[in-house]
Amino acid sequence: MATLHTLAAVESARQDIRKSRFLAIAGPVDSEAAAKAFITAHSDATANHNCWAWRVGQAYRFSDDGEPGGTAGKPILQAIDGQSLDRVAVVVTRWFGGALLGSGGLIRAYGGTAAACLRAAAKIPLIETAEVTITCGFADLALVEARLAGLPAARITAQNYTATGGAFTVSIHRPELEATLAMVADLTSGRATISMPR
């Protein structure tokens, strides 16, 4: 299976097709709520249509926003999927220029504008992560925190302190999980407790 990617930043592309103007804006999103916010932020109330699609893992949605069914939202989603992208939202805005494009023309216009935008965008690979909780005493706390902070494959997402030490919630790239946990065990001479939620 191909490695999935997301976008590094927001990207846009424009096309003029038979007097209609099309503007695609694509960006990274990490949830349905973020996708909805992106669509709201990048839709233009003065345009005739703001068609969109997004995918976050197995969840996806699309909208033709008044265009004939299946001629806008679905081709935009196909542009996302066709480039092995995930956690991405795309809005394609159309200002009608007077010439009817027909169903095939609309599919090509919306899908093509979205695809051109996504091709131009900088992409970063999506790496599966595991979330673990590492609990250790005060004697090991600072060293464990410093080492984890220095690892590109690990990110501390939460810290809680107790009477005897503290716990870190850490997001670790799955390919580096075993090595990272072994490093923590070595640093603490096995004193750290590591738990992985199922």
Side-chain angles (χ1 to χ4, degrees), residues 69-155:
T71 61
K74 199 164 190 179
I76 297 168
L77 181 64
Q78 289 168 337
I80 293 169
D81 292 344
Q83 295 187 39
S84 298
L85 295 171
D86 191 7
R87 300 184 196 169
V88 171
V90 181
V91 178
V92 180
T93 301
R94 179 190 186 190
W95 291 268
F96 184 62
L100 296 175
L101 301 180
S103 294
L106 288 171
I107 290 168
R108 286 188 296 277
Y110 281 103
T113 306
C117 178
L118 294 169
R119 275 194 300 274
K123 297 168 188 74
I124 51 175
L126 284 172
I127 299 170
E128 189 182 352
T129 60
E131 193 159 89
V132 300
T133 301
I134 299 169
T135 306
C136 54
F138 282 120
D140 299 313
L141 202 61
L143 182 59
V144 169
E145 182 178 12
R147 283 293 181 86
L148 288 172
L151 293 176
R155 185 170 55 89

Side-chain angles (χ1 to χ4, degrees), residues 3-170:
T3 300
L4 291 175
H5 288 74
T6 191
L7 304 186
V10 174
E11 183 64 60
S12 65
R14 298 174 190 276
Q15 287 196 97
D16 291 332
I17 300 169
R18 294 180 59 197
K19 299 182 183 173
S20 282
R21 287 187 303 130
F22 291 85
L23 168 65
I25 302 175
V29 294
D30 58 8
S31 66
E32 180 173 352
K36 288 177 178 175
F38 181 89
I39 291 158
T40 300
H42 295 286
S43 294
D44 187 328
T46 69
N48 299 88
H49 304 281
N50 290 286
C51 304
W52 51 263
W54 58 262
R55 175 176 291 285
V56 177
Q58 296 302 310
Y60 64 89
R61 295 283 181 278
F62 55 85
S63 168
D64 296 316
D65 190 34
E67 293 284 28
T71 61
K74 199 164 190 179
I76 297 168
L77 181 64
Q78 289 168 337
I80 293 169
D81 292 344
Q83 295 187 39
S84 298
L85 295 171
D86 191 7
R87 300 184 196 169
V88 171
V90 181
V91 178
V92 180
T93 301
R94 179 190 186 190
W95 291 268
F96 184 62
L100 296 175
L101 301 180
S103 294
L106 288 171
I107 290 168
R108 286 188 296 277
Y110 281 103
T113 306
C117 178
L118 294 169
R119 275 194 300 274
K123 297 168 188 74
I124 51 175
L126 284 172
I127 299 170
E128 189 182 352
T129 60
E131 193 159 89
V132 300
T133 301
I134 299 169
T135 306
C136 54
F138 282 120
D140 299 313
L141 202 61
L143 182 59
V144 169
E145 182 178 12
R147 283 293 181 86
L148 288 172
L151 293 176
R155 185 170 55 89
I156 297 171
T157 57
Q159 293 173 271
N160 295 307
Y161 297 98
T162 64
T164 58
F168 301 106
T169 303
V170 188

Side-chain angles (χ1 to χ4, degrees), residues 128-133 174 177 181 194-198:
E128 189 182 352
T129 60
E131 193 159 89
V132 300
T133 301
R174 281 224 181 254
L177 181 61
L181 297 182
I194 297 165
S195 59
M196 295 176 56
R198 292 287 162 217

